[in-house]
Amino acid sequence: MTVALDTVSAATFADLLGDGFALRGPGGQELAVTLASCRESPHSTMAGSPRTAFSLVFGCPAAAAGPFRGAIAC
């Protein structure tokens, strides 16, 4: 499924709290994570923006993350 980035909002993720995802690092390594938080940030929203800014927090056990740094959701 492909979604245009400018149409993604906090509502897109609201029903996915607690669900598992895989993050893939630049070297191809994957890390299993859980969506821990999805929060709107109205004060961070640019004036005139058609959607409210939001943040996502993913979590996993520290031992699983090891040296893993940076990723994209897949």
Side-chain angles (χ1 to χ4, degrees):
M1 177 173 135
T2 302
V3 178
L5 189 57
D6 62 345
T7 66
V8 177
S9 68
T12 306
F13 297 94
D15 291 336
L16 301 174
L17 285 172
D19 284 2
F21 291 84
L23 298 182
R24 186 174 300 132
Q29 67 275 36
E30 285 194 10
L31 178 64
V33 297
T34 301
L35 180 58
S37 173
C38 173
R39 196 171 297 168
E40 287 191 326
S41 304
H43 296 325
S44 298
T45 302
M46 291 179 58
S49 177
R51 64 185 175 115
T52 302
F54 67 97
S55 63
L56 302 175
V57 175
F58 293 93
C60 73
F68 191 87
R69 298 289 182 266
I72 57 171
C74 55

